[in-house]
Amino acid sequence: MVLYDLMTLSANERASDQARAIAALKLDELRGWLTQAQNPTSDEGERAHFSFAISQIVQFQKDPKQISVVPPAEPPDGPPLGTDDDWDGWD
């Protein structure tokens, strides 16, 4: 969600220059964090997501018009997983 929103805001020509600049800065910071957070011993799925996100950011930074920003999948209807009637701890 964060990656999608940052890329969308950064490319939005109707957004203010300041908002677009901050979004572009945060995209660059996110790319740096993802690069640092990659750990060869971490879960393969996590590494795959980080690697894909990094490649999306790099592509977007080269030419925002060449990458199609696909919105993330909508969460399913209903309460969050693992919740029930007394999920808040109040008895």
Side-chain angles (χ1 to χ4, degrees):
M1 289 294 299
V2 171
L3 179 56
Y4 168 77
D5 287 341
L6 286 174
M7 287 170 43
T8 300
L9 179 57
S10 180
N12 185 347
E13 294 177 2
R14 294 180 52 182
S16 71
D17 289 342
Q18 183 68 14
R20 294 179 68 193
I22 291 170
L25 172 67
K26 295 303 176 182
L27 267 175
D28 201 48
E29 289 175 355
L30 179 59
R31 181 179 59 125
W33 181 85
L34 289 166
T35 301
Q36 291 292 326
Q38 282 188 323
N39 183 344
T41 62
S42 63
D43 175 52
E44 184 177 73
E46 183 178 277
R47 289 193 328 266
H49 281 287
F50 284 9
S51 178
F52 182 71
I54 291 167
S55 70
Q56 291 286 296
I57 294 169
V58 168
Q59 266 186 317
F60 182 81
Q61 288 174 328
K62 285 181 184 174
D63 188 0
K65 292 181 180 9
Q66 291 296 334
I67 188 167
S68 100
V69 180
V70 179
E74 290 292 320
D77 292 335
L81 294 175
T83 61
D84 53 22
D85 291 337
D86 62 354
W87 66 271
D88 62 0
W90 295 96
D91 293 318

